[in-house]
Amino acid sequence: MKVKVITDSGSGLTKEQAAEYGLDFLPLQVIIEDKAYLDGIDLTVEELYDFIDRGFLPQTSMPPLGMIEEKFDQYKEEGVTDVVLITLSSGLSGTNQAIQASAKWRGIKMHTLDIYTTLAVERYLAISAAKLAQDNVHPDEIVARLKDSVDNSQGFLICQDLDHLSRGGRLTPMAAKLGGMLKIRPILEVSKNTEGKVDVCDKVRTTSKAVKKACSLAIKAVKDIKDYELFVMDSRDEQEALNMLEELHAEYGDITIQRQPICAVIASHTGLHAVAVQYVKKVKGV
């Protein structure tokens, strides 16, 4: 058995970073002014933030099909028999299905699951899968361990720029306009609870109240913090990210909470000044 582990750029990893963890990498595409960029290869998250800051409205697409086909042709030549695949939620993208179809055509066995989310949780699961594969854990067992973590994970996202949500069909244009005028902040959830799609779990007045509420939702779910990983992310909103960290540290004490930027393909839809918290149960054996 020869095993490879693949992730996509929804993990926030670049191609080079993925390689450092022993991961193979497929970039999602970010389209700006009719030009397609390969996320994590020829577009960094800071460059994407700059585009948004200058008024561009990016769109996103799954990895180029030709790149997927080329990857699996290479696997076939190298004698790869099994692939563990960790991609962003199937509710957000058709990436997982497209990759599975390419593997099936070449007779390569796929081991995958819907992680129902993206961002830091996807990154953690992908890196964990690579570590387990390096320890010669069977691919079926890797997926079983990841599933236990996925079943105990959740994330909450707060966006200040409601126009981006409106463009993505998450809010009507009128709701976005009224929300901006009234300073209403929807708290968005992407998890197994929402079947991997973006859904509004609550609406509050002001960003500061939304941050407190998102943290309280995570705290309510995570009782024994030693069994979990916590992440705080933002798209150029360091102050609200720090506020979120303060709320979490007030509950859990001096623990490690990982800070990451909201990756390019997700920030394309949230806009700047978004902040998020995610938690996931630690993967067994990692």
Side-chain angles (χ1 to χ4, degrees), residues 37-38 55 57 70 80 114 127 130 138 157 183 223 225 239:
Y37 295 84
L38 299 177
L57 299 174
E70 182 180 350
V80 173
D114 196 333
I127 292 172
H138 192 280
L157 172 71
K183 294 185 178 180
K223 302 299 183 185
I225 190 60
Q239 186 55 59

Side-chain angles (χ1 to χ4, degrees), residues 151-252:
D151 290 344
N152 294 276
S153 66
Q154 202 169 16
F156 303 102
L157 172 71
I158 301 151
C159 304
Q160 293 197 44
D161 188 346
L162 300 182
D163 289 336
H164 280 267
L165 292 174
S166 174
R167 285 195 308 109
R170 305 304 176 189
L171 290 175
T172 65
M174 182 58 71
K177 183 176 181 180
L178 290 174
M181 292 171 59
L182 299 173
K183 294 185 178 180
I184 292 174
R185 294 289 177 259
I187 300 173
L188 305 177
E189 179 179 356
V190 185
S191 69
K192 190 173 182 179
N193 293 338
T194 66
E195 298 181 341
K197 299 177 182 179
V198 179
D199 201 1
V200 178
C201 72
D202 204 348
K203 297 177 184 178
V204 298
R205 294 286 296 274
T206 78
T207 300
S208 61
K209 289 182 179 179
V211 165
K212 288 180 180 292
K213 183 60 183 287
C215 289
S216 71
L217 290 169
I219 289 167
K220 183 178 179 181
V222 178
K223 302 299 183 185
D224 197 346
I225 190 60
K226 73 177 186 341
D227 294 330
Y228 285 81
E229 297 283 353
L230 267 176
F231 310 92
V232 168
M233 295 147 285
D234 70 285
S235 55
R236 286 189 178 164
D237 199 335
E238 183 177 8
Q239 186 55 59
E240 291 302 344
L242 292 175
N243 291 342
M244 188 168 273
L245 286 168
E246 184 178 354
E247 290 286 326
L248 295 169
H249 281 303
E251 173 67 21
Y252 295 119

Side-chain angles (χ1 to χ4, degrees), residues 36-64:
Y37 295 84
L38 299 177
D39 182 25
I41 294 181
D42 56 21
L43 178 72
T44 68
V45 66
E46 290 299 328
E47 288 169 340
L48 185 278
Y49 290 170
D50 287 341
F51 275 120
I52 297 175
D53 196 37
R54 286 155 49 198
F56 290 96
L57 299 174
Q59 297 177 308
T60 59
S61 181
M62 64 183 188

Side-chain angles (χ1 to χ4, degrees), residues 83-87 96 100 110-114 139 143:
V83 169
V84 178
L85 176 63
I86 310 299
T87 67
N96 194 284
Q100 286 195 65
M110 297 296 293
H111 307 263
T112 188
L113 75 167
D114 196 333
V143 171

